[in-house]
Amino acid sequence: MIKRLKRFLWLVIAMIVAISISLGLMGRLTAQQPSISHPLTSLTEAEISTAVSVIKKEKTLSEMAVFPLIALQEPDKEEVLKFTPGKAFGRKAFLVIYERSQNKTYEGIVNLTSKTLSSWKEISSVQPAIVNPEYELATQVVKADSRWQKAMQRRGITDFDQVTISCWAPGILSKQEEVAGNRLCRALSYYKGKSWNYYGSPIEGVLVTVNLNAGKIVSFVDKGNVPFSKENWNYDVKSLGNLLSAPKALKILQPNGASFRINNNEISWQGWKFRYLMHPRSGLVLYQVTHDDGENVRPVLYRASLSEMVVPYGDPNPTWSFRNAFDVGEYNFGLLANTMELGKEIPENGLLLDAVFANEQGEPYKIPGVIGIYERDRGMLWKHYDYSTQRNDVRRNRELVMSMTAAVDNYDYSINWIFHQDGTLEIQNELTGIVLVQGTAAQKQSEDDSYGRLIAKNIFGVNHQHFFNYRLDFDVDGQANSVMEMNVKALPMDEKNPLGNAIAVTKTPLTKETAAVRDLDMKSSREWMIVSADKKNTLGVAPGYMLMPGGNSIFFPVEGSNIRQKAEFASHHVWVTKYKPAELYAGGDYPNQTQPGQGLPKYIADDESLTGKDIVLWYTMGVTHVPRSEDWPIMPVHQVGFKLMPRGFFSRNPAINLPE
């Protein structure tokens, strides 16, 4: 009887384990309930509540006060590097508080350990990111305005509920707007009719600028009626009608479980180890990226994150020329992250992780499944077929991918950190979503349409760009690093090179910050390398990691243009700075309604030495999008990225001893 009972209990336990594994719950429990065991652990819901309560206790806030940003105040780098498990450490929260009625911005730091306010200061003449209540406020103000109502009626729209208002950060300001110093947004109008995808029906020529402090319209523009598409651009299965034949099922199975391990917010896989954190502004941030070469655990990066984005549109029409979105700093990219699903954004063998954020009222909330992690097969890792022995040695290529997705109004972005078995770390961005379009009377493409392309009847896609800047705090074999630029050139034919086939590589140290503002050059196959300043490999060479650019573009706004001055980081592909903890954002701390020259131009103004220092490399990559009909109504994914590849870091192929 006892044996039967034991057997029954073991069967029940086995069933529970099997069900948990199939639902991803075993990994989920481990990953979703991290203890605060490390200084770089995300803020918990309790810590967010504590931080807000301390602020409200110490400072008198109005009913209109909002919290655009609440995040971990990252501890001192040296303290983190010296941290050992079990050692006590302090916790702090960083908060941005905006008083809308006073048009004032404050920064506060709360000591969560002592529950005290350790820092409070007003940041003058800045505007934090747009917050959720302001979208609704803008909608109410616009729809109550008689000028806007008449503009809609002139277009045959009498039911104003059929119009959606999209609120943008104001972008390029007029002189009058700059002087006034008010918090503004630009309101665009879309006709949705009976379809939920209203992006195909922009009400062209109507632009409303709203003063969010006063809740009033400060500028109204109506450039006259322009036809807009009345077609149903919904893209659900029912709306599309005829569907392609579905491919046969493709199953991705890992019968023995995943190869990666999660310990709170630390991930280890195939020699790699790193920590992650979901930041409300930057999104997915990696910390303390190391690689175990079999003998030593060696640091590569201390911190890596998306720093800023800018999306300039190329139509000079006044209702379009202001559109230059800083999607990270103007809208808090991390807060726009959305829940993903296994078998959709993330393959079915993946694991979904949650994140804790705070809303504009300072209330904590959890977003489920906002981070995805999974392994995937990517073909061959290495191979050689030997004719003499007929040996065929080959290894399959496995990658670890950590992803997030975010919807920024009409566009969707996927940010992917990809770890390779050969010691390479790859960053791959995916762009999809809906092209921002103009209404037009045209139903056929005109040769005069130089600012874009007709992509459907009455729908014009405007030329634009997407630029991403990544902040990469390197610690290659330690904090003492230097940066080298490598250029390749063909040597002229002479007595030393009679056949003209010689290819030479030159390495140039970039010793100062102003000298390290650089651009890609295909003619010289230009690349950059961060090397240890005090260590040598077995060949007597400094071990390093190399930035290998992928696809890229130049920033097309011309010298002297407003957007080039605001987004100067995008005007060059590479910047290198000496590490300073407060220098986190390529476009500056507050890009919304910012002044020119913020961020990287300021960071390099002191022109510090980069030789044997703790240095940060900032890489900018861009996509130039000339829309096409195939991008409508949903744009197929476009990828852009780069790689950080070891060079002299390992003594041989680090994946050569991978078992079959």
Side-chain angles (χ1 to χ4, degrees):
M1 180 69 182
I2 294 175
K3 287 183 178 180
R4 287 182 179 177
L5 181 59
K6 285 183 176 179
R7 185 179 178 187
F8 174 76
L9 289 173
W10 276 113
L11 285 171
V12 171
I13 291 171
M15 289 176 64
I16 292 172
V17 170
I19 293 170
S20 298
I21 291 174
S22 67
L23 294 176
L25 294 179
M26 296 297 285
R28 194 174 185 84
L29 286 172
T30 303
Q32 299 306 296
Q33 299 175 358
S35 60
I36 308 174
S37 57
H38 190 275
L40 293 174
T41 305
S42 298
L43 291 180
T44 65
E45 292 179 83
E47 287 180 320
I48 291 171
S49 296
T50 296
V52 173
S53 65
V54 168
I55 293 286
K56 290 182 175 180
K57 178 182 177 183
E58 297 293 330
K59 299 294 175 181
T60 302
L61 303 181
S62 73
E63 292 183 357
M64 297 178 70
V66 291
F67 295 83
L69 185 73
I70 301 178
L72 175 71
Q73 173 66 27
E74 293 184 16
D76 180 76
K77 183 175 180 178
E78 292 300 326
E79 291 181 15
V80 174
L81 294 175
K82 293 177 182 177
F83 173 76
T84 55
K87 182 180 177 182
F89 56 90
R91 297 276 286 173
K92 294 181 179 180
F94 172 78
L95 304 92
V96 175
I97 301 93
Y98 180 66
E99 283 280 12
R100 184 155 61 84
S101 59
Q102 304 168 21
N103 195 20
K104 291 184 177 181
T105 301
Y106 301 90
E107 290 181 356
I109 297 176
V110 172
N111 187 319
L112 296 168
T113 307
S114 62
K115 297 183 180 180
T116 57
L117 183 62
S118 57
S119 174
W120 178 266
K121 58 183 178 180
E122 180 182 350
I123 311 299
S124 62
S125 303
V126 301
Q127 294 292 338
I130 301 289
V131 296
N132 280 326
E134 292 174 322
Y135 295 103
E136 182 58 32
L137 171 64
T139 296
Q140 293 173 359
V141 170
V142 170
K143 289 192 174 183
D145 186 78
S146 61
R147 293 167 294 177
W148 180 87
Q149 293 175 357
K150 290 176 182 177
M152 295 302 106
Q153 290 166 350
R154 284 195 295 269
R155 290 161 172 83
I157 301 171
T158 55
D159 183 358
F160 302 145
D161 289 337
Q162 297 303 312
V163 179
T164 294
I165 303 298
S166 176
C167 179
W168 280 52
I172 304 301
L173 302 177
S174 67
K175 292 296 182 184
Q176 294 85 349
E177 289 170 338
E178 285 185 6
V179 171
N182 295 311
R183 183 169 173 83
L184 305 174
C185 81
R186 314 282 190 198
L188 311 177
S189 302
Y190 291 87
Y191 180 72
K192 60 183 178 181
K194 296 181 180 179
S195 61
W196 44 263
N197 179 18
Y198 53 83
Y199 287 111
S201 302
I203 300 173
E204 203 59 47
V206 177
L207 178 63
V208 187
T209 301
V210 179
N211 179 339
L212 295 170
N213 303 123
K216 295 180 179 179
I217 289 178
V218 295
S219 172
F220 179 85
V221 175
D222 183 357
K223 298 183 73 68
N225 290 16
V226 177
F228 56 85
S229 176
K230 300 293 198 327
E231 292 189 39
N232 183 343
W233 291 111
N234 292 352
Y235 44 86
D236 58 288
V237 171
K238 183 179 179 181
S239 297
L240 292 172
N242 294 331
L243 300 177
L244 296 173
S245 299
K248 294 182 179 179
L250 174 64
K251 293 292 183 181
I252 304 171
L253 302 175
Q254 290 188 279
N256 298 322
S259 303
F260 61 87
R261 296 192 303 275
I262 301 182
N263 180 18
N264 292 315
N265 71 329
E266 184 180 69
I267 310 251
S268 54
W269 177 83
Q270 295 286 289
W272 289 103
K273 185 175 286 187
F274 62 94
R275 293 187 179 274
Y276 73 91
L277 182 151
M278 196 68 176
H279 192 277
R281 176 168 173 168
S282 301
L284 186 56
V285 182
L286 304 188
Y287 296 93
Q288 294 188 286
V289 180
T290 64
H291 200 286
D292 187 344
D293 66 2
E295 297 181 3
N296 298 293
V297 176
R298 302 167 65 188
V300 177
L301 291 156
Y302 177 74
R303 187 184 191 276
S305 69
L306 176 65
S307 166
E308 190 54 86
M309 292 170 55
V310 63
V311 187
Y313 283 84
D315 191 323
N317 187 303
T319 62
W320 274 81
S321 56
F322 78 89
R323 304 185 198 204
N324 303 282
F326 288 73
D327 287 337
V328 174
E330 287 182 335
Y331 302 101
N332 279 335
F333 185 79
L335 294 181
L336 300 177
N338 40 62
T339 296
M340 299 183 287
E341 298 180 59
L342 294 180
K344 293 187 177 179
E345 298 94 337
I346 302 299
E348 57 192 352
N349 65 315
L351 176 68
L352 294 172
L353 309 173
D354 304 342
V356 172
F357 288 134
N359 64 19
E360 61 280 350
Q361 301 305 319
E363 301 163 339
Y365 65 97
K366 182 182 289 185
I367 303 183
V370 76
I371 303 169
I373 183 167
Y374 62 96
E375 295 175 276
R376 69 183 179 193
D377 181 277
R378 287 302 295 267
M380 290 189 298
L381 178 61
W382 57 262
K383 167 188 166 74
H384 182 64
Y385 178 81
D386 189 272
Y387 281 97
S388 61
T389 62
Q390 296 189 355
R391 284 182 58 90
N392 184 37
D393 290 286
V394 62
R395 298 293 186 273
R396 294 296 295 177
N397 185 7
R398 183 80 63 87
E399 295 174 351
L400 180 71
V401 185
M402 200 164 195
S403 301
M404 65 160 286
T405 62
V408 189
D409 205 19
N410 54 299
Y411 262 105
D412 294 73
Y413 299 95
S414 172
I415 308 297
N416 303 279
W417 298 89
I418 306 168
F419 293 84
H420 296 251
Q421 292 167 302
D422 67 354
T424 296
L425 174 57
E426 181 180 359
I427 292 84
Q428 185 183 84
N429 291 359
E430 296 177 321
L431 293 71
T432 181
I434 303 176
V435 177
L436 190 71
V437 297
Q438 286 181 356
T440 175
Q443 300 197 8
K444 290 189 178 181
Q445 183 69 47
S446 167
E447 294 299 324
D448 296 331
D449 293 334
S450 57
Y451 302 139
R453 290 292 181 269
L454 195 71
I455 59 177
K457 292 180 179 180
N458 302 120
I459 296 177
F460 186 77
V462 176
N463 300 335
H464 61 281
Q465 296 186 289
H466 302 255
F467 271 79
F468 307 83
N469 180 274
Y470 277 84
R471 180 185 183 274
L472 306 166
D473 179 4
F474 278 97
D475 281 357
V476 178
D477 269 340
Q479 290 175 266
N481 286 176
S482 299
V483 58
M484 309 290 292
E485 180 176 286
M486 295 189 296
N487 290 280
V488 181
K489 65 178 180 180
L491 298 182
M493 293 179 66
D494 56 22
E495 65 277 1
K496 293 182 180 180
N497 182 30
L499 298 181
N501 65 313
I503 302 173
V505 178
T506 59
K507 293 196 298 183
T508 304
L510 304 178
T511 59
K512 289 292 192 76
E513 289 178 327
T514 55
V517 181
R518 307 295 293 163
D519 290 302
L520 297 181
D521 184 357
M522 285 185 61
K523 292 182 179 179
S524 63
S525 192
R526 182 172 294 165
E527 293 172 344
W528 295 269
M529 186 163 62
I530 305 297
V531 299
S532 172
D534 57 6
K535 295 180 175 63
K536 302 292 183 183
N537 62 19
T538 55
L539 301 176
V541 178
Y545 256 78
M546 181 171 56
L547 170 66
M548 293 190 65
N552 213 321
S553 178
I554 64 168
F555 196 54
F556 280 115
V558 298
E559 292 287 345
S561 64
N562 297 59
I563 184 55
R564 195 176 185 91
Q565 294 171 351
K566 281 185 64 177
E568 196 170 342
F569 72 87
S571 64
H572 295 285
H573 298 120
V574 168
W575 306 64
V576 188
T577 60
K578 182 183 176 184
Y579 169 80
K580 292 179 181 175
E583 295 179 351
L584 293 174
Y585 304 113
D589 292 343
Y590 296 93
N592 186 14
Q593 300 184 214
T594 190
Q595 294 298 309
Q598 302 301 304
L600 281 171
K602 276 195 171 182
Y603 299 166
I604 68 168
D606 53 5
D607 201 19
E608 296 228 41
S609 170
L610 300 175
T611 303
K613 305 296 183 182
D614 188 357
I615 58 179
V616 178
L617 187 148
W618 310 70
Y619 179 63
T620 305
M621 61 184 180
V623 172
T624 300
H625 189 185
V626 179
R628 53 196 184 116
S629 57
E630 290 85 354
D631 291 330
W632 191 255
I634 294 286
M635 173 181 151
V637 163
H638 182 97
Q639 297 177 336
V640 61
F642 62 96
K643 293 180 180 179
L644 304 176
M645 182 172 286
R647 190 174 186 89
F649 191 81
F650 300 99
S651 60
R652 62 176 185 177
N653 178 351
I656 194 69
N657 56 348
L658 191 70
E660 290 189 273

